[in-house]
Amino acid sequence: MANNQIRVVLAQIDPIVGDVAGNTRKVIAATQQARQQHAAELVVFPELCLTGYPPEDLLLRPGLLKRVDKSLKTLCQQIDDITIIVGHPLGEVGKELFNVASVISKHQITAQYFKQKLPNYGVFDEKRYFIEGHEATIIEINQIKIGLTICEDIWFVEPTAQAVDAGAEIIVNLNASPFKQDKTLLREAEVCKRARENNVPILYVNQIGGQDELVFDGASFAVNASGEKSVQAIQFAAALVPIKVHKTGQEVQLEGPQQPLMGELETVYNALVCGLRDYVEKNHFPGVVIGLSGGIDSALTMALAVDALGAERVQAVMMPSRYTSQISLDDAAEMAAILNVQYRIIGIENLFRSFLHELEDVFAGTQPDGTEENIQARCRGVLLMAISNKTGAMVLSTGNKSEMAVGYSTLYGDMAGGFSPLKDVYKTLVYKLAHYRNSLARAIPERIITRPPSAELSADQLDQDSLPAYEVLDDILEAYVANDGCFEDLVASGFNAETVAQVIKMVDRSEYKRRQAPPGIRITGRAFGRDRRYPITSGYTVTSTIE
């Protein structure tokens, strides 16, 4: 290609945290493919792609940095007539450690950029490991000057402006930006703002895949100097995104593919599928086992599992008790048949009776209450974990965020499991996602969606006997959990004072349960776990006026 033009490929890959050798092979393979399919001259990879993101306290191990050093040497041996930009840690544990983008060409590292803005909020704690860089880095390919930035840098004015002042005519931004609802539009708005401020095009590459609670959606893109989007990559899938960069006079233009973005429910559903699939695959489980109750949460969980892994890797177990309705039995069997999963029924009545018999003296003189309900849930937990131990399949917990928030769940019972796909999904969103999934192809019997939710642990039990209506509950939880609203503010905004007090007390009382819950996929800006870290023991409670 003539001077003043560059064939760039954004390599949207799925690295595995800690697998430096495997990630290096992915970089080499993607580079070769970009060269062969797109005649690429520059291939840009995501932030910290050699270690995967976030490597967390693996960064405190000198052995990890030795592997990264070996990886860089391997890349230098392999990379000749093409330029790549890769993210990795650089430095020494306990001294100076940086989040770096290295430029490799003609068998050597030709330039390095040190990330300047280190996020230290929400799920991010980069200041625990890294120190900030301060200098701009500019490289030149075919007479076009390219400024490098990494992830958080693009959310601040200074790094981009500094690069432009140093002569950059285009900005490349390496990212490991985790998904949350509306994140795609937020990223795009911020990058467009930087482009307009500095009159410079920006190329934004992001990784894909699940990493424990986090899921990365890819959705790499590029904007021109006026802040208009010129390129859009696919979401939740690996991709090599070709971009033709050409300069005419002082103006740099971009040409590339424009994939349509998913709608809101489609995006969330795909995030859950992606996060579940990668958690199972990267941890080498042969499949999953689910307690299928005939209720909406286990139904949606099973639909996600089948879409993520295939029906042949999903086991469903119905575990009826004396309180299980025929409707639940019928609906669970129907759904298992629709999705063609392995399905069995294991009753818990004999187990439940045995527990009650052994506890007869302890329970003498008392009335049945939540204790007996929890015993049933724990009988089911024991059975599921036994199947898991014997087959190797991982148990999926089926609880949602609304239940997790208020403690409407049983430790060592329905909370048992290795992963919780709906952990950050409010109950009201569970229903929307169920309707969305059925819009693609029938998966969940309609009666499961329309009937009133019940744990079926006592006679004629309904969730709403113990909880406010989910529409009200979820609004209160959003205000209190996600936005840190206080009692007075919630009441002033129109919520019933008694209901608010009830919900706040349940949320605060249940912190100990959440600490023992399995990990789950983060889809909001304030998930339980890394995002929200509250003490279990706390005297900060609802005001005395409502106690």
Side-chain angles (χ1 to χ4, degrees), residues 152-165:
E152 190 79 0
D153 291 335
I154 209 70
W155 294 79
F156 291 83
V157 172
E158 297 84 2
T160 302
Q162 183 190 48
V164 171
D165 288 344

Side-chain angles (χ1 to χ4, degrees), residues 212-213 279 397 417-423 516-521 528:
D212 296 344
E213 299 99 327
Y279 192 84
S397 173
F419 200 63
S420 181
L422 304 182
K423 185 177 180 179
Q516 301 177 68
I521 303 161
F528 292 121

Side-chain angles (χ1 to χ4, degrees), residues 424-449:
D424 198 31
V425 181
Y426 288 119
K427 186 76 168 191
T428 48
L429 181 54
V430 167
Y431 283 103
K432 293 176 183 178
L433 290 171
H435 283 296
Y436 166 76
R437 178 58 182 84
N438 274 359
S439 73
L440 304 178
R442 185 170 180 262
I444 302 173
E446 188 65 22
R447 189 166 56 181
I448 291 179
I449 302 175

Side-chain angles (χ1 to χ4, degrees), residues 159-415:
T160 302
Q162 183 190 48
V164 171
D165 288 344
E169 298 169 296
I170 187 170
I171 299 294
V172 167
N173 185 241
L174 285 66
N175 290 269
S177 178
F179 170 81
K180 67 173 184 176
Q181 290 170 291
D182 299 326
K183 185 69 174 287
T184 304
L185 297 179
L186 288 172
R187 290 188 201 118
E188 187 177 312
E190 201 66 29
V191 172
C192 289
K193 188 176 179 181
R194 293 292 91 75
R196 289 192 297 269
E197 289 169 351
N198 296 279
N199 192 36
V200 61
I202 299 175
L203 278 56
Y204 182 106
V205 61
N206 191 28
Q207 74 172 58
I208 63 156
Q211 172 56 34
D212 296 344
E213 299 99 327
L214 302 181
V215 62
F216 299 86
D217 55 323
S220 303
F221 65 97
V223 301
N224 61 28
S226 62
E228 296 174 343
K229 188 163 62 173
S230 304
V231 178
Q232 177 63 62
I234 195 170
Q235 298 163 275
F236 302 108
L240 296 177
V241 188
I243 302 175
K244 179 181 175 183
V245 179
H246 54 94
K247 184 171 72 171
T248 305
Q250 299 301 311
E251 186 178 7
V252 177
Q253 293 292 330
L254 310 176
E255 295 178 17
Q258 287 256 23
Q259 292 285 342
L261 290 172
M262 299 175 180
E264 180 183 0
L265 290 177
E266 183 182 9
T267 303
V268 171
Y269 192 86
N270 276 273
L272 297 173
V273 168
C274 178
L276 174 55
R277 177 190 298 122
D278 265 17
Y279 192 84
V280 172
E281 297 288 358
K282 291 178 179 179
N283 287 291
H284 310 294
F285 289 103
V288 296
V289 58
I290 300 166
L292 191 62
S293 68
I296 184 70
D297 296 321
S298 64
L300 180 60
T301 300
M302 192 167 79
L304 288 165
V306 169
D307 290 342
L309 305 170
E312 69 280 1
R313 298 177 68 186
V314 178
Q315 302 179 55
V317 185
M318 161 56 92
M319 296 166 284
S321 76
R322 64 185 69 173
Y323 301 114
T324 302
S325 67
Q326 188 62 46
I327 288 176
S328 294
L329 287 164
D330 294 343
D331 289 348
E334 182 182 0
M335 183 169 180
I338 293 171
L339 293 181
N340 196 31
V341 302
Q342 182 184 119
Y343 178 67
R344 58 170 57 91
I345 299 175
I346 304 176
I348 66 165
E349 183 61 28
N350 290 336
L351 294 173
F352 184 36
R353 287 180 182 275
S354 295
F355 275 108
L356 294 180
H357 174 72
E358 296 300 329
L359 291 165
E360 191 172 12
D361 290 343
V362 179
F363 289 0
T366 67
Q367 294 298 313
D369 56 16
T371 306
E372 287 79 5
E373 296 181 16
N374 289 337
I375 289 173
Q376 295 169 71
R378 289 176 180 133
C379 288
R380 292 174 174 136
V382 168
L383 292 173
L384 290 172
M385 292 307 300
I387 293 170
S388 175
N389 291 160
K390 188 61 69 174
T391 67
M394 181 182 66
V395 176
L396 291 183
S397 173
T398 62
N400 61 67
K401 187 173 186 176
S402 306
E403 295 171 348
M404 190 64 62
V406 297
Y408 195 65
S409 53
T410 303
L411 272 175
Y412 327 121
D414 57 304
M415 288 176 65

